[in-house]
Amino acid sequence: MAIFTGAGVAIVTPFKENREVNYEQFAKQIEYQIANKTDAIIVCGTTGEASTLTHEEHLDVIRYCVKVVNGRIPVIAGTGSNCTETAIYLSQEAEKAGVDGLLVVTPYYNKATQKGLYEHFKMIAESVKVPIILYNIPGRTGGVNILPETIVRLCTEVENIVGVKEATGNISQVAKIMALANGKVDLYSGNDDQVVPLLALGGKGVISVLSNIAPEQTHNICQTFFDGKIEESRDLQLQALNLIDALFCEVNPIPVKKAMNLMGMEAGPLRRPLTEMEEPNAARLEKAMKEYGIL
């Protein structure tokens, strides 16, 4: 059984003006997500600026998220690293915190071979009991791509590696994964503009940036598809496309934090090296939000 189906939010980590984690605001974000039908919370991923959290902050944010959610929906923690031992440590601590699953990104900078990727993910999985979703995003990892054969091998041979968040944008690769999968791979879209195409190939849902500002709408894209209303689901996907494009006109999570601040959700500033959104792009984002009806 999949860790979740539908739209899981890749949740933002809010900061105070001094760039400390704003836990009070984080609790409000979590409650907003649950109240608006989000199907799972993915904490300390790319959108949560995990790469600029200390290990202590990273784990504290995971623990706090689990505590606030309190079993109402699944919590999946990002625990990947380019160092296998670090990823094992974070994964074990997240498991102790009570998460329902882990999201483990392809190691970056090292540029591992397919053999290295297999051994990296296998070692992490064998160190914990909770289910793991692989996170394949070559654009963030120096172009390193987990090939379909490696994904399927991991999901087949390692009991608690259950699926993949596919953010290559390559539909042909996704199709090959599912052609080889034999029911062994839970597929999640890592791109908000490709939710319906991946659902059509057998996907379980999306791990979404859009859900931070439009949780019910993103949930509905998935749920209408599962309900057999394919044309309606497609239309919902297309209606969101302009906003999705604006949310990625600068590197994530710069635009989504700007969008949340425009909505009064107090996501706060970004940690360096990320900087505030350029004015023309901010204007484009605000216009798209208004057109979509969330501002």
Side-chain angles (χ1 to χ4, degrees):
M1 184 176 175
I3 303 174
F4 79 97
T5 58
V9 60
I11 200 163
V12 159
T13 303
F15 297 126
K16 301 175 183 177
E17 286 307 309
N18 65 2
R19 290 175 172 77
E20 292 178 358
V21 177
N22 188 337
Y23 285 103
E24 181 181 353
Q25 201 58 36
F26 190 40
K28 291 178 182 177
Q29 284 178 209
I30 292 167
E31 295 300 338
Y32 171 75
Q33 290 294 322
I34 294 173
N36 286 277
K37 300 185 179 179
T38 281
D39 298 291
I41 292 179
I42 294 79
V43 61
C44 288
T46 304
T47 313
E49 297 180 76
S51 58
T52 55
L53 298 174
T54 67
H55 289 166
E56 292 77 14
E57 287 175 321
H58 190 139
L59 294 171
D60 284 346
V61 169
I62 291 169
R63 294 180 187 114
Y64 188 79
C65 184
V66 170
K67 179 181 176 182
V68 174
V69 171
N70 194 27
R72 288 176 287 174
I73 57 175
V75 173
I76 299 157
T79 56
S81 172
N82 65 329
C83 171
T84 305
E85 292 301 324
T86 300
I88 287 171
Y89 166 70
L90 293 173
S91 298
Q92 290 176 333
E93 291 300 312
E95 181 178 47
K96 291 175 189 174
V99 299
D100 299 281
L102 305 172
L103 180 70
V104 182
V105 72
T106 312
Y108 37 87
Y109 189 75
N110 310 58
K111 303 193 79 168
T113 62
Q114 294 302 303
K115 178 184 177 183
L117 293 174
Y118 177 85
E119 292 185 4
H120 172 79
F121 289 119
K122 185 171 185 284
M123 287 177 70
I124 296 165
E126 288 176 344
S127 77
V128 294
K129 293 183 172 62
V130 290
I132 289 174
I133 299 171
L134 309 172
Y135 182 12
N136 194 27
I137 183 165
R140 294 262 184 181
T141 59
V144 177
N145 180 27
I146 320 174
L147 294 179
E149 293 83 357
T150 305
I151 290 169
V152 174
R153 183 184 174 201
L154 282 162
C155 289
T156 301
E157 296 182 4
V158 185
E159 184 177 6
N160 59 328
I161 297 181
V162 298
V164 62
K165 176 185 176 184
E166 246 297 326
T168 61
N170 184 341
I171 294 296
S172 296
Q173 170 157 313
V174 175
K176 186 171 183 181
I177 292 168
M178 298 310 281
L180 296 172
N182 195 28
K184 296 286 188 179
V185 179
D186 291 341
L187 173 69
Y188 297 93
S189 177
N191 297 308
D192 283 310
D193 60 351
Q194 295 182 345
V195 181
V196 173
L198 266 71
L199 293 178
L201 287 168
K204 300 289 186 183
V206 59
I207 295 176
S208 170
V209 175
L210 176 64
S211 285
N212 280 283
I213 58 172
E216 185 168 1
Q217 295 92 326
T218 314
H219 164 86
N220 288 342
I221 291 172
C222 298
Q223 192 57 54
T224 53
F225 188 96
F226 298 146
D227 290 342
K229 302 172 185 175
I230 309 302
E231 291 186 10
E232 183 179 338
S233 176
R234 179 199 64 201
D235 289 346
L236 291 173
Q237 169 83 89
L238 295 176
Q239 287 165 20
L241 199 58
N242 188 48
L243 176 56
I244 293 165
D245 286 346
L247 281 172
F248 290 92
C249 68
E250 290 189 24
V251 69
N252 178 50
I254 292 173
V256 73
K257 272 203 156 178
K258 177 67 173 178
M260 292 173 72
N261 288 332
L262 286 169
M263 294 172 72
M265 297 173 73
E266 297 181 40
L270 300 135
R271 282 191 176 177
R272 297 292 184 266
L274 299 184
T275 54
E276 296 303 316
M277 203 170 187
E278 300 286 344
E279 280 304 317
N281 290 332
R284 172 187 171 187
L285 175 63
E286 186 171 357
K287 182 174 182 287
M289 292 171 69
K290 288 176 178 176
E291 289 173 349
Y292 193 64
I294 58 173
L295 195 61

